[in-house]
């Protein structure tokens, strides 16, 4: 195993401290940020070599940005309108930081061709990709931060969505939720290889009296897909119905609201426990809603209004993401719901 010299550790520490100073102070806890309309920081849609992997804890392991494949000498472009707040070397690596108001983008390694205080428009050249990349092949590391919070820079490509930062008092809850989701993702990935019956199941046909919660065509089915925002291949754990924001979401069958919550990925969520139906315990889930009009513990009838379609969380447009669990196993909703 390679060991760092004391000088190497000093360079690493210096690099981290300078970046903290460059990126500024923390944004207010629980602030809702309006992201700027953004674009790729390269001239074409690049290959993502490594996606954003937020750490489970503030100082934990992770990948605090995305790595984009690019040859040395490739022009690096501003991802959004802003002001250059830093352009120069940090621990031997060229770094450019652009302030967009609520957030900052970072680009490295870059031989800067801009100066501090310079206003830039989205797509304006900041410099060219230089040596010193941490990738196995030449790449641009593109980052996004709001104060001390790391965000996924690919969110900028979806033009102006709101992002909610987590208060310090909520951090422990969020970290536990993140750890749970990582564990669930591992189970799902294993189940995709092993097949139904080991984490997700097939329904027993769609003749159980469940109506569709919203009108509209299926825009993304259950199954493995390239995530439209995260840009990684993963299980799409439900069925998306295309419906305009504000469309009523209605209970597909009678049940009890077991939970109403918010998730950074799923947005506003609601879980409806239908008890045992045709020999199976059935729970349905509704995600990305604008808002809900029922509360946890409330019993609802089939067809009763639950809330309204929205685009909260990681969403590229208004839609309902419908999920189903059968005997606590994730299921393809359309193997349970009638066509």
């Amino acid at each position: 195993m390679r060991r760092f010299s004391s000088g190497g550790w000093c360079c690493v520490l210096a690099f981290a401290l300078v970046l903290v100073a460059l990126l500024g102070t923390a944004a207010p806890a629980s602030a809702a940020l309006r992201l700027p309309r953004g674009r790729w920081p390269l001239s074409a849609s690049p290959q993502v070599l490594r996606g954003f992997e937020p750490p489970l804890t503030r100082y934990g392991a992770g990948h605090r940005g995305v790595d984009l494949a690019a040859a040395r000498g490739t022009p690096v472009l501003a991802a959004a309108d802003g002001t250059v707040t830093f352009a120069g070397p940090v621990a031997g690596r060229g770094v450019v930081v652009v302030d967009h108001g609520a957030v900052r983008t970072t680009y490295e390694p870059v031989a800067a061709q801009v100066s501090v205080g310079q206003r830039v428009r989205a797509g304006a050249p900041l410099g060219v990709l230089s040596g010193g990349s941490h990738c196995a092949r030449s790449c641009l590391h593109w980052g996004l931060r709001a104060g001390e919070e790391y965000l996924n820079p690919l969110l900028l490509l979806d033009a102006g969505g709101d992002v909610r930062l987590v208060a310090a008092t909520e951090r422990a809850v969020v970290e536990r939720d993140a750890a749970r989701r990582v564990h669930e993702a591992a189970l799902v990935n294993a189940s995709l290889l092993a097949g139904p019956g080991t984490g997700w199941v097939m329904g027993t046909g769609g003749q159980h009296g469940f109506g569709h919660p919203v009108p509209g065509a299926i825009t993304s089915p259950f199954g493995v897909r390239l995530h439209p925002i995260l840009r990684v291949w993963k299980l799409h754990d439900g069925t998306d119905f295309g419906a305009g924001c504000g469309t009523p979401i209605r209970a597909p069958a009678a049940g009890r609201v077991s939970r109403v919550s918010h998730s950074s990925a799923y947005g506003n969520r609601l879980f409806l426990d239908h008890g045992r139906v045709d020999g199976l315990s059935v729970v349905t889930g509704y995600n990305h809603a604008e808002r809900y009009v029922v509360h946890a513990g409330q019993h609802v009838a089939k067809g009763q209004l639950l809330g309204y379609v929205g685009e909260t969380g990681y969403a590229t447009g208004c839609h309902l993401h419908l999920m189903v669990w059968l005997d606590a196993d994730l299921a393809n909703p359309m193997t349970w719901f009638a066509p």
Side-chain angles (χ1 to χ4, degrees):
M1 178 184 294
R2 180 183 176 187
R3 296 183 180 275
F4 283 106
S5 67
S6 59
W9 281 117
C10 289
C11 288
V12 172
L13 179 59
F15 182 78
L17 291 175
V18 171
L19 277 184
V20 169
L22 294 177
L23 292 168
T25 59
S30 295
L33 300 177
R34 188 72 177 173
L35 295 180
R37 184 178 296 272
R39 51 151 293 154
W40 289 107
L42 299 170
S43 60
S45 297
Q47 177 187 1
V48 178
L49 299 178
R50 184 177 179 185
F52 179 68
E53 300 166 14
L56 296 183
T57 61
R58 182 179 294 275
Y59 302 108
H63 190 240
R64 296 164 168 85
V66 296
D67 291 338
L68 307 177
R72 187 168 178 174
T74 298
V76 177
L77 314 175
D81 297 351
T83 302
V84 177
T85 57
F86 182 83
V90 176
R93 182 181 302 166
V95 176
V96 174
V97 180
V98 179
D99 187 347
H100 308 286
V103 294
R104 293 174 171 82
T105 49
T106 62
Y107 313 79
E108 58 177 284
V110 177
Q113 297 174 343
V114 290
S115 56
V116 173
Q118 182 176 336
R119 288 284 299 169
V120 293
R121 301 298 299 269
L126 301 175
V128 297
L129 191 66
S130 61
S133 166
H134 63 270
C135 301
R137 55 186 287 195
S138 181
C139 77
L140 171 71
H141 181 80
W142 181 30
L144 176 67
R145 290 189 70 174
E148 295 182 356
E149 297 291 335
Y150 291 92
L151 303 175
N152 187 345
L154 298 184
L155 291 172
L156 296 178
L157 304 181
D158 286 297
D162 285 333
V163 173
R164 176 179 175 272
L165 296 186
V166 178
T169 54
E170 301 176 48
R171 184 171 299 279
V173 174
V174 172
E175 289 171 356
R176 286 196 299 270
D177 181 63
R180 175 186 57 76
R181 285 187 283 110
V182 168
H183 176 66
E184 289 176 352
L187 294 177
V188 168
N189 289 334
S191 71
L192 288 174
L193 299 175
T198 56
W200 66 276
V201 298
M202 298 290 286
T204 55
Q207 303 300 323
H208 307 285
F210 280 58
H212 285 198
V214 294
I218 293 174
T219 55
S220 186
F222 180 95
V224 178
R225 68 169 185 176
L226 181 65
H227 195 285
I229 295 178
L230 302 179
R231 308 305 297 172
V232 295
W233 288 95
K234 67 189 295 290
L235 177 68
H236 183 235
D237 54 11
T239 299
D240 288 349
F241 290 88
C245 282
T247 300
I249 303 170
R250 300 191 180 277
R256 182 183 65 85
V257 178
S258 58
R259 179 157 58 102
V260 178
S261 63
H262 179 87
S263 160
S264 60
Y266 293 99
N268 294 326
R269 314 188 74 188
L270 183 144
F271 299 83
L272 192 55
D273 188 342
H274 303 280
R276 298 197 70 80
V277 180
D278 295 340
L280 295 171
S281 173
V282 182
V283 173
T284 54
Y286 309 85
N287 305 276
H288 305 303
E290 179 181 284
R291 64 187 178 93
Y292 294 106
V293 298
V294 292
H295 56 80
Q298 182 176 342
H299 288 268
V300 298
K302 181 177 180 178
Q304 184 171 334
L305 180 66
L306 301 177
Y308 299 93
V309 171
E311 53 180 337
T312 55
Y314 286 178
T316 56
C318 302
H319 72 284
L320 172 69
H321 179 78
L322 174 68
M323 301 175 71
V324 173
W325 291 265
L326 303 175
D327 284 344
D329 284 323
L330 184 67
N332 180 345
M334 301 320 293
T335 64
W336 182 259
F337 279 71

